[in-house]
């Protein structure tokens, strides 16, 4: 299905209530982590998680394939490589012909595991890195983390060359905080030195436990200059990033999108199997639609709770937290709305 066909089907699904599967499903394979990063939501919670089994993930991915999902993004609250069956999960992604991307802190990856990632042809991997030096990064993520992440990235790229493999695409993920905003351009330089040509910058989700990293009391013009400098560095060095969307919509609350396509375009499924319509609301544990262990993903996707949520969005009734929507989602959905040729919040 090309982009124009997807656009037509998306329009019909919204206007005529015709069925369409999501394009992207984000799945958190685990909520356990081997780090205690100072910006993480986990610091405010101590829970035990009834994680999806390999068999349940198999069934979920099969449903995703049948629904026409294109991208599976293994992300969320924990470290995927804590799961002993993570490579079996990667095999399932390939079994169902899905594009698989995964986010990791990178410190559990030795050469053998990195070779396995290449062997299984995982499509994309994102390494979390919040500073261009150990001093900055490790204040957030813990002592010794920076050096281990850098070593993992270097080794992976070396192994890719040895095996003449283009996969996985290697990216860096950086959360913008009070600690690192002045030096984001230097992370771009570091990425280039490492042979990484893509960075995903994330807006900090604010919790009481990470208040010391908030940017709210920093001069807004100073932040803007730092972001614009980073954008210029990305353009100069040919690094693909989402920094322009962040400059456009900002690091804090902003206006609502012209229309929210998320309930037709994506879903987030946490490690316990709870389904939510988007990752912004999922982070705040709002809009719970059901659990895949109880009824399966397809029934939830086309079920009454999701229909109610979609009908509410069509009427322009957003959640109060939608003003914190991820900037690149705002950009993407506003562009889709524009392509549909509509000037108001309807479609």
């Amino acid at each position: 299905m090309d982009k124009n066909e997807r656009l037509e089907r998306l329009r019909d699904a919204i206007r005529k209530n015709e069925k369409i599967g999501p394009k992207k499903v984000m799945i958190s394979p685990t909520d356990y982590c081997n780090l205690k990063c100072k910006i993480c939501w986990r610091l405010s919670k101590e829970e035990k998680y009834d994680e999806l089994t390999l068999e349940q993930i198999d069934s979920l991915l099969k449903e995703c394939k049948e629904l026409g999902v294109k991208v599976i993004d293994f992300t969320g609250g924990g470290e995927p490589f804590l799961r002993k069956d993570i490579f079996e999960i990667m095999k399932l992604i390939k079994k169902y012909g899905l594009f698989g991307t995964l986010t990791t802190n990178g410190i559990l990856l030795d050469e053998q595991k990195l070779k396995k990632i290449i062997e299984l042809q995982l499509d994309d991997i994102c390494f979390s890195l919040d500073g261009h030096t150990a001093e900055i990064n490790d204040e957030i993520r813990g002592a010794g983390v920076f050096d281990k992440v850098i070593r993992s990235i270097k080794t992976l790229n070396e192994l890719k060359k040895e095996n003449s493999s283009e996969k996985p695409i290697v990216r860096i993920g950086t959360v913008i905080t009070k600690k690192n905003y002045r030096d984001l351009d230097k992370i771009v330089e570091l990425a280039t030195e490492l042979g990484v040509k893509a960075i995903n910058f994330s807006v900090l989700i604010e919790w009481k436990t990470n208040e010391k990293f908030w940017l709210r009391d920093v001069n807004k013009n100073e932040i803007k200059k730092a972001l614009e400098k980073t954008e210029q560095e990305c353009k100069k060095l040919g690094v693909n990033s989402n920094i322009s969307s962040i400059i456009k919509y900002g690091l804090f609350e902003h206006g609502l999108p012209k229309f929210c396509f998320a309930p037709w375009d994506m879903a987030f499924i946490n490690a316990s199997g709870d389904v939510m319509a988007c990752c912004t609301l999922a982070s705040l544990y709002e809009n719970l639609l059901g659990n895949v262990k109880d009824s399966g993903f397809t029934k939830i996707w086309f079920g009454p709770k999701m229909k109610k949520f979609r009908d509410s969005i069509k009427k322009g009734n957003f959640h109060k937290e939608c003003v914190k929507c991820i900037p690149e989602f705002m950009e993407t959905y506003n562009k889709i709305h524009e392509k549909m040729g509509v000037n108001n919040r309807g479609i």
Side-chain angles (χ1 to χ4, degrees):
M1 185 190 306
D2 62 23
K3 290 182 179 180
N4 290 331
E5 184 181 353
R6 172 75 187 181
L7 192 66
E8 289 297 321
R9 287 196 59 193
L10 191 58
R11 181 189 287 116
D12 289 343
I14 298 169
R15 287 179 175 173
K16 304 175 184 178
N17 291 321
E18 293 187 4
K19 290 185 175 182
I20 186 173
K23 181 179 179 181
K24 179 178 182 178
V25 175
M26 291 162 278
I27 303 171
S28 182
T30 183
D31 277 335
Y32 291 108
C33 192
N34 55 318
L35 296 181
K36 291 186 177 180
C37 301
K38 294 177 183 177
I39 56 175
C40 184
W41 62 271
R42 289 173 51 84
L43 296 182
S44 63
K45 294 183 179 181
E46 285 294 336
E47 299 179 8
K48 292 185 178 180
Y49 309 100
D50 182 20
E51 294 179 345
L52 293 170
T53 65
L54 181 63
E55 291 72 22
Q56 289 166 334
I57 291 177
D58 188 352
S59 178
L60 172 58
L61 293 178
K62 183 175 184 291
E63 286 190 85
C64 287
K65 177 65 176 179
E66 293 169 349
L67 284 168
V69 173
K70 299 300 179 185
V71 178
I72 298 294
D73 184 353
F74 282 108
T75 183
E79 170 51 47
F81 288 95
L82 280 176
R83 284 194 66 132
K84 294 180 180 180
D85 57 3
I86 189 63
F87 293 111
E88 296 303 315
I89 293 174
M90 289 184 199
K91 289 179 183 177
L92 291 174
I93 294 175
K94 295 290 117 178
K95 172 184 174 181
Y96 294 113
L98 300 162
F99 183 97
T101 178
L102 177 150
T103 299
T104 175
N105 60 41
I107 69 172
L108 298 177
L109 296 175
D110 55 24
E111 185 171 330
Q112 182 179 0
K113 290 177 181 177
L114 292 168
K115 284 181 179 179
K116 190 71 174 177
I117 291 170
I118 295 171
E119 177 188 328
L120 293 174
Q121 288 289 277
L122 180 70
D123 297 283
D124 175 279
I125 187 167
C126 182
F127 291 88
S128 298
L129 193 69
D130 289 329
H132 72 291
T133 65
E135 179 186 1
I136 296 174
N137 184 81
D138 292 359
E139 180 176 336
I140 296 171
R141 296 194 169 267
V145 171
F146 179 83
D147 290 339
K148 291 177 182 177
V149 176
I150 297 300
R151 183 168 63 246
S152 290
I153 295 174
K154 285 182 176 179
T155 302
L156 179 56
N157 278 332
E158 289 168 0
L159 290 170
K160 282 175 62 180
K161 287 181 181 179
E162 290 176 12
N163 291 275
S164 301
S165 178
E166 295 183 359
K167 295 182 180 180
I169 298 166
V170 180
R171 294 183 293 120
I172 285 174
T174 300
V175 181
I176 303 173
T177 70
K178 183 186 288 186
K179 180 68 179 177
N180 65 10
Y181 79 94
R182 297 183 186 87
D183 302 305
L184 298 177
D185 59 314
K186 293 183 175 63
I187 294 179
V188 178
E189 292 176 6
L190 174 61
T192 303
E193 292 170 6
L194 293 170
V196 175
K197 288 297 182 180
I199 302 179
N200 184 71
F201 292 102
S202 297
V203 174
L204 177 68
I205 298 176
E206 296 174 341
W207 306 94
K208 194 67 178 175
T209 51
N210 63 22
E211 192 170 2
K212 66 177 288 189
F213 296 98
W214 293 7
L215 282 157
R216 290 186 180 273
D217 60 348
V218 177
N219 182 278
K220 301 300 183 291
N221 286 330
E222 185 180 341
I223 295 174
K224 184 180 179 183
K225 287 180 181 178
L227 296 178
E228 289 174 344
K229 185 179 179 182
T230 303
E231 182 182 34
Q232 292 171 2
E233 197 69 12
C234 285
K235 290 178 179 178
K236 184 178 80 171
L237 297 175
V239 173
N240 183 35
S241 84
N242 60 335
I243 197 71
S244 60
S245 298
I246 295 175
I247 292 171
K248 184 173 182 179
Y249 294 102
L251 292 163
F252 312 106
E253 294 81 2
H254 45 65
L256 295 169
K258 294 176 181 176
F259 188 84
C260 178
F261 295 91
W264 294 267
D265 196 54
M266 70 168 72
F268 179 89
I269 302 172
N270 70 16
S272 300
D274 294 322
V275 181
M276 284 156 276
C278 80
C279 55
T280 300
L281 295 179
S283 298
L284 301 161
Y285 212 74
E286 292 191 20
N287 193 44
L288 180 62
L289 301 167
N291 191 290
V292 297
K293 295 174 184 175
D294 300 327
S295 57
F297 180 50
T298 304
K299 287 184 178 180
I300 295 171
W301 184 254
F302 295 122
K305 286 188 177 181
M306 183 61 106
K307 183 181 184 303
K308 182 179 179 181
F309 181 66
R310 291 184 181 124
D311 289 344
S312 179
I313 290 296
K314 285 196 283 188
K315 293 175 183 176
N317 298 325
F318 289 80
H319 280 244
K320 65 178 181 179
E321 302 294 350
C322 290
V323 294
K324 297 180 181 179
C325 182
I326 294 174
E328 57 261 41
F329 288 172
M330 289 280 295
E331 183 82 350
T332 297
Y333 290 153
N334 282 343
K335 284 181 178 178
I336 291 175
H337 188 267
E338 184 179 332
K339 287 179 181 178
M340 288 187 176
V342 183
N343 295 319
N344 53 38
R345 291 196 183 279
I347 50 85

